Amino acid sequence: MITPYDPQAVERDAQQYWQDNDSFKAPDNPGSDAFYCLSMFPYPSGRLHMGHVRTYTLGDVIARYQRLKGHSVLHPMGWDAFGLPAENAAIKNNIPPANWTYSNIDYMRGQMQSLGFGFDWSREFATCDPDYYRWEQWFFLRLYEKGLVERRSAIVNWDPVDQTVLANEQVENGRGWRSGAVVERREMQQWFLKITDYADELLDQLDEMPGWPDSVKNMQRNWIGRSHGLEIDFAVAGRDESITVYTTRPDTLLGATYVAVAAQHPLALAAAEHNPELGAFIERCANVKTAEADLATLPKEGMALGVEVEHPLTGRRLPVWTANFVLMDYGSGAVMSVPAHDQRDWEFAREYGLPIEQVIAPADDAPIDLDAEAFVARGITVNSPGFDGLEFQAAFDVIADALEAGGRGRRRTNYRLRDWGVSRQRYWGCPIPMIHCDHCGVVPVPTSDLPVVLPTEVSFEGVRSPLHDMPEWLQVPCPVCGRMARRETDTFDTFMESSWYANKFTSPGANAMLDDRVNLWAPVNHYVGGIEHAILHLLYARFYHKLLRDEGLVASDEPFERLLMLGMVLRNGRKMSKKDGDAGDPQMLIDRYGADAVRQAMMFAAPPEQSVEWAEGGLESASRFLRRIWRGVEDHLAAGEVPALDVAALSDAGLELRRKTHETIGRADDDYGRRVQFNTVVAAGMELANTIAKTPDEGADRAAVREAWNALALVLSPITPHVCHALWQALGHSEPMVDAAWPAVDDAALERSTIELVVQVNGKLRARIDMAADADETAAREAALADENVQRFVADKSLRKAIYVPGKLVNLVVG
Ligand code: ANZ
Ligand code: ZN
């Protein structure tokens, strides 16, 4: 061994060894022992940050542990390489996005290698490689043929000065980030994938996914937002038309005192034609982007349309208002307002002096105060002639039946989930393989012409996509009529690429999107990534997997069996960023302390799912610990030959060490595998190291000491693989550490061979004696009576009774 411990040299050696031996190359045809561990691949922004270090260390720990447990492991890495930052860098520094991206990838790959992550680099790809995205284009065309792709208009952010669409991230306080112009909301034709066709399956399957945290499943449930309700038609008074509202509370129908429609609702737009004030109001609403979450807190604003509708059950006339809290793209863009039982309706009614009429009473007769707020809970119907005294479901059913019978309503299931808009008016993305012909309309690119390669030699004039200014790329003969036509300049949302990369890793070099190998590995057994991806990425990947399944490309229903969602890395209570300078730059830390110390400190800082407050202090202690075990092994080896293990010859200290060794193996196994809590593995390793230090390294006990060092190196190797690789070699193993097998726990070693027994005489403590752990009552009583001090108290008295609590005490009753 080279002393003192030199992390740089140790890490270089281990990495060289793994590289020379293709240690992490996954087999092409794994058997039932296959284990697929995947960490979310990064956007190649330039350099790794501490969040990456945490994610990839955790994934690496899982992969290495599963390998020790005897699995064939697939642990790949790649690059989520399309996206806006490359474009922004190009605009700022005039470097083509491809060059910027690939050079970042080279740098970050080097950083990952220096952290010792056991990735199968032979499977690496970047999503901006035409060989990758060509299959995305191919698959999109398959979906187009199946009717799962639609083109329709949607609202985008339009920068009137730069004459371009902006991504949400490029809008700052309602202005374009470069032009400073007030951003307009424009309707443009966009491509959509019909994820709503899969809403029920995406929702229902969550119930059969025990490997996912409940919190994530609930986020997905809320995002899909299935609700069961009723559509009700309100006839417009004096006209031959009606307004349809969507409600989940038909039990409150008799309490509706007005109807409210979205600003963009056709009825509001029609009324605005003769009412400029209303027109101005609608325009104002159109320019405010209302996220659904803001609706509750929004100051309620609206205007009467001067139109009335008839209540479908009572015929009563209700005024129609337009209100800013009604969304055009949910339900039918119109609501029946029940101010007594809906808080938004209540606030609006108070603002504009509309009637508030109670129709639901609390089931427990608790007092309510409708002057203070709406009563929104379910209860019993009141003031509803013909429908009084019913609880929620009964009222729902009776009213729904009545409206359905009269043709004025129908039951309906609604979803919050919208179809997935996949068009981006950006350059640095996968080209959408479509052609616009003046004669034939939208025509798909023939599959034989794929891929549609994104040109990479580009220069930017402002933020506009350079594709618009490249006639040699843009102009193409129409595949149908042969006349000159234009390529689609929109590119895919980058969530498209990250929706299927996991599957692609299984089929490197396939002359197809995926081949049969995918089913040998998929679904991913353990997927590791940041909680910020709990909704969109995971939902899109689940959807895409089902699309692949329905196209016969994968056999499984879901892409990720078990999910580990990491908390954030914080410093001084906020998310770490560039501002943290050296402390936030893993490279500085690796250079100074070595990768193992960085990995260990990160794992020790907190359990994976919690946020971690990153402080450099942990690095000092990690590196002190690694130096200590290095020196410990060195001293142990310097003492020469080690006898074969002979349990019978061990001293108490030797037995104690063995117990600790096997306890540690068992605990770490459970922590790594079931609990996924790696900080406690580090703690257990530290305890074992302390016990080793306390055990005299001599005679027969040296075998127990050797066993303990072997176990410590093995147990810690997923976390600090380099130093453990070196120690393992030094301890005389010819097989490399990565090919070792997780040790079995020796149950006999866990048994305590002797125990301390408390001896009482007439209930008073008189002695403590060491006993064989399995001693029976007779042996315990005799040993107790043989004790000198006990004899003094028993003396010539006669023994009436002996009470024995095995493993604890003997009470001698004398008199
Ligand atoms: C009357 C009513 C009475 C309602 C009551 C609630 C409580 P979920 O569960 O989210 O589907 N709503 C319907 N369409 C809307 C739109 N486009 N914009 C804003 N709000 C809309 O909620 C459905 C409820 O949200 C519906 O039930 C409707 O208000 C409102 F005591 O109808 B309710
Ligand atoms: Zn044509």
Side-chain angles (χ1 to χ4, degrees):
M1 284 173 83
I2 309 156
T3 47
Y5 169 56
D6 173 358
Q8 265 66 36
V10 167
E11 290 172 10
R12 213 179 314 114
D13 272 8
Q15 288 164 15
Q16 192 65 48
Y17 180 91
W18 296 328
Q19 193 185 325
D20 292 347
N21 292 280
D22 275 338
S23 296
F24 302 108
K25 195 161 170 18
D28 245 343
N29 288 295
S32 57
D33 61 346
F35 190 95
Y36 185 0
C37 175
L38 183 66
S39 297
M40 291 179 183
F41 66 164
Y43 178 74
S45 54
R47 32 184 46 219
L48 294 185
H49 54 67
M50 292 315 285
H52 292 128
V53 173
R54 190 180 192 207
T55 306
Y56 301 135
T57 303
L58 280 160
D60 198 40
V61 169
I62 293 171
R64 287 174 181 270
Y65 163 73
Q66 292 294 349
R67 178 167 174 159
L68 291 172
K69 293 291 285 183
H71 288 112
S72 290
V73 171
L74 170 58
H75 186 216
M77 186 40 66
W79 310 94
D80 192 13
F82 278 135
L84 203 55
E87 238 168 285
N88 294 346
I91 295 162
K92 209 160 135 201
N93 311 320
N94 212 13
I95 327 165
N99 302 19
W100 184 84
T101 302
Y102 282 108
S103 78
N104 286 348
I105 287 175
D106 286 340
Y107 183 77
M108 291 169 76
R109 185 193 305 106
Q111 286 192 301
M112 287 187 180
Q113 283 164 343
S114 74
L115 278 156
F117 299 137
F119 294 132
D120 178 353
W121 286 108
S122 73
R123 294 171 189 249
E124 174 191 2
F125 59 78
T127 55
C128 61
D129 300 340
D131 269 347
Y132 181 75
Y133 67 68
R134 68 177 303 158
W135 297 112
E136 200 167 296
Q137 295 174 335
W138 173 84
F139 194 61
F140 184 76
L141 295 174
R142 297 286 312 126
L143 297 176
Y144 181 74
E145 261 174 51
K146 284 171 112 176
L148 285 163
V149 170
E150 264 180 21
R151 186 169 158 80
R152 48 181 130 95
S153 72
I155 291 172
V156 295
N157 306 305
W158 178 258
D159 184 324
V161 170
D162 277 338
Q163 290 283 303
T164 189
V165 174
L166 299 178
N168 287 340
E169 307 90 288
Q170 293 175 312
V171 181
E172 291 166 1
N173 301 322
R175 291 173 182 273
W177 64 298
R178 283 184 69 85
S179 68
V182 174
V183 170
E184 295 168 9
R185 316 227 317 125
R186 266 209 185 180
E187 275 204 24
M188 289 178 66
Q189 292 288 305
Q190 311 270 298
W191 292 99
F192 287 88
L193 281 190
K194 290 168 75 178
I195 189 172
T196 51
D197 282 13
Y198 284 73
D200 282 322
E201 192 190 344
L202 287 166
L203 187 68
D204 294 338
Q205 204 135 30
L206 290 170
D207 298 336
E208 289 145 47
M209 290 161 62
W212 281 41
D214 288 336
S215 58
V216 175
K217 287 190 280 194
N218 281 333
M219 283 189 250
Q220 298 228 336
R221 285 186 186 109
N222 290 335
W223 189 261
I224 296 167
R226 181 165 63 194
S227 69
H228 300 287
L230 201 62
E231 265 179 7
I232 305 177
D233 304 327
F234 285 73
V236 179
R239 292 196 217 163
D240 189 18
E241 58 177 302
S242 62
I243 305 179
T244 302
V245 306
Y246 175 69
T247 180
T248 46
R249 294 290 305 271
D251 58 321
T252 66
L253 177 55
L254 278 296
T257 60
Y258 60 98
V259 163
V261 302
Q264 297 81 17
H265 192 279
L267 203 73
L269 296 176
E273 278 176 25
H274 317 287
N275 184 343
E277 209 190 326
L278 186 58
F281 174 76
I282 290 173
E283 191 138 320
R284 204 146 35 87
C285 289
N287 285 322
V288 193
K289 204 176 158 223
T290 33
E292 214 179 309
D294 303 333
L295 283 185
T297 52
L298 203 68
K300 302 292 173 291
E301 273 191 77
M303 280 185 75
L305 297 186
V307 175
E308 285 186 327
V309 290
E310 286 167 15
H311 192 284
L313 293 180
T314 65
R316 172 180 168 187
R317 296 267 173 119
L318 305 178
V320 181
W321 286 66
T322 179
N324 64 346
F325 65 87
V326 183
L327 292 169
M328 189 58 220
D329 60 359
Y330 186 70
S332 56
V335 302
M336 64 173 206
S337 287
V338 186
H341 303 293
D342 181 281
Q343 188 59 23
R344 291 175 295 188
D345 297 347
W346 184 91
E347 283 166 26
F348 192 84
R350 292 288 280 224
E351 182 68 35
Y352 295 102
L354 294 157
I356 299 175
E357 296 173 8
Q358 182 185 2
V359 290
I360 302 292
D364 58 4
D365 284 330
I368 62 171
D369 181 4
L370 293 178
D371 287 332
E373 60 180 354
F375 171 64
V376 300
R378 291 177 180 183
I380 306 295
T381 48
V382 294
N383 306 330
S384 303
F387 301 97
D388 276 343
L390 302 173
E391 53 80 39
F392 172 79
Q393 196 56 49
F396 187 119
D397 289 336
V398 175
I399 291 176
D401 289 346
L403 290 171
E404 278 180 346
R408 292 175 165 206
R410 56 233 137 243
R411 288 174 166 88
R412 185 173 140 181
T413 301
N414 232 323
Y415 300 86
R416 184 150 279 118
L417 183 68
R418 296 282 86 107
D419 277 335
W420 178 12
V422 294
S423 295
R424 294 291 178 275
Q425 293 71 35
R426 306 254 58 95
Y427 156 72
W428 187 235
C430 170
I432 297 180
M434 291 287 173
I435 292 168
H436 300 274
C437 172
D438 288 342
H439 300 270
C440 313
V442 175
V443 180
V445 172
T447 37
S448 54
D449 291 351
L450 295 180
V452 178
V453 176
L454 184 74
T456 50
E457 296 296 315
V458 294
S459 60
F460 277 81
E461 303 285 335
V463 296
R464 199 172 126 91
S465 166
L467 295 177
H468 294 286
D469 307 314
M470 304 182 84
E472 67 284 11
W473 183 84
L474 206 56
Q475 289 173 9
V476 56
C478 168
V480 176
C481 71
R483 284 181 258 217
M484 256 317 161
R486 267 170 309 110
R487 284 194 190 283
E488 171 67 71
T489 50
D490 282 3
T491 54
F492 283 133
D493 175 5
T494 59
F495 275 126
M496 283 284 266
E497 285 88 53
S498 54
S499 289
W500 68 286
Y501 79 111
N503 289 320
K504 187 63 185 172
F505 279 129
T506 66
S507 306
N511 188 25
M513 188 171 190
L514 301 168
D515 63 25
D516 291 347
R517 289 172 293 175
V518 66
N519 294 323
L520 302 178
W521 292 111
V524 171
N525 298 94
H526 214 149
Y527 193 37
V528 179
I531 187 74
E532 65 273 22
H533 293 298
I535 299 180
L536 290 184
H537 161 58
L538 290 174
L539 191 67
Y540 291 147
R542 294 182 59 215
F543 167 51
Y544 212 97
H545 200 81
K546 293 173 194 300
L547 294 174
L548 292 169
R549 175 201 63 194
D550 293 346
E551 193 58 30
L553 290 166
V554 297
S556 38
D557 290 324
E558 287 284 335
F560 312 118
E561 185 175 83
R562 194 173 179 190
L563 188 64
L564 178 57
M565 292 268 93
L566 307 191
M568 282 188 298
V569 181
L570 309 171
R571 192 170 178 86
N572 305 323
R574 52 170 181 74
K575 198 169 173 173
M576 275 186 103
S577 68
K578 286 211 176 84
K579 290 192 207 105
D580 293 299
D582 290 356
D585 181 2
Q587 204 53 53
M588 298 290 294
L589 305 178
I590 299 165
D591 294 346
R592 199 143 133 223
Y593 298 95
D596 281 335
V598 172
R599 293 169 60 120
Q600 182 184 314
M602 193 51 111
M603 292 302 95
F604 194 44
E609 276 148 355
Q610 285 176 21
S611 294
V612 16
E613 181 70 33
W614 177 247
E616 252 186 81
L619 281 165
E620 284 294 349
S621 71
S623 97
R624 215 176 310 123
F625 174 69
L626 297 177
R627 276 200 303 271
R628 195 151 73 83
I629 61 175
W630 186 272
R631 209 179 324 112
V633 170
E634 192 181 34
D635 291 346
H636 169 70
L637 292 173
E641 284 297 299
V642 174
L645 180 66
D646 174 5
V647 176
L650 297 181
S651 72
D652 284 353
L655 290 170
E656 180 59 33
L657 177 58
R658 280 208 86 216
R659 185 158 50 244
K660 191 77 193 171
T661 298
H662 286 270
E663 242 171 50
T664 305
I665 294 168
R667 256 173 75 182
D669 197 8
D670 192 45
D671 285 349
Y672 277 137
R674 184 183 62 88
R675 296 180 67 225
V676 197
Q677 299 278 294
F678 309 153
N679 53 324
T680 46
V681 177
V682 177
M686 290 174 171
E687 279 181 36
L688 177 57
N690 287 340
T691 309
I692 298 175
K694 277 194 301 204
T695 310
D697 192 4
E698 37 186 56
D701 287 344
R702 275 178 62 64
V705 172
R706 170 60 57 96
E707 184 187 32
W709 281 124
N710 279 331
L712 186 65
L714 220 136
V715 161
L716 292 181
S717 70
I719 296 171
T720 53
H722 309 88
V723 67
C724 293
H725 170 87
L727 293 177
W728 190 251
Q729 263 180 349
L731 287 162
H733 300 274
S734 51
E735 284 278 279
M737 168 116 271
V738 287
D739 292 333
W742 187 266
V745 173
D746 179 355
D747 287 329
L750 294 178
E751 276 170 24
R752 296 184 176 262
S753 51
T754 63
I755 42 163
E756 195 185 66
L757 210 59
V758 167
V759 184
Q760 297 174 335
V761 178
N762 289 347
K764 289 214 173 74
L765 173 67
R766 296 304 178 197
R768 294 173 191 276
I769 56 176
D770 281 337
M771 278 302 297
D774 55 357
D776 63 7
E777 177 163 359
T778 317
R781 192 176 54 219
E782 268 163 25
L785 287 167
D787 182 89
E788 249 175 65
N789 198 43
V790 171
Q791 276 178 2
R792 278 179 38 217
F793 291 95
V794 176
D796 48 353
K797 301 193 184 97
S798 62
L799 180 65
R800 298 232 178 108
K801 194 157 83 164
I803 301 157
Y804 179 47
V805 183
K808 294 221 162 61
L809 69 81
V810 187
N811 185 16
L812 304 171
V813 182
V814 295

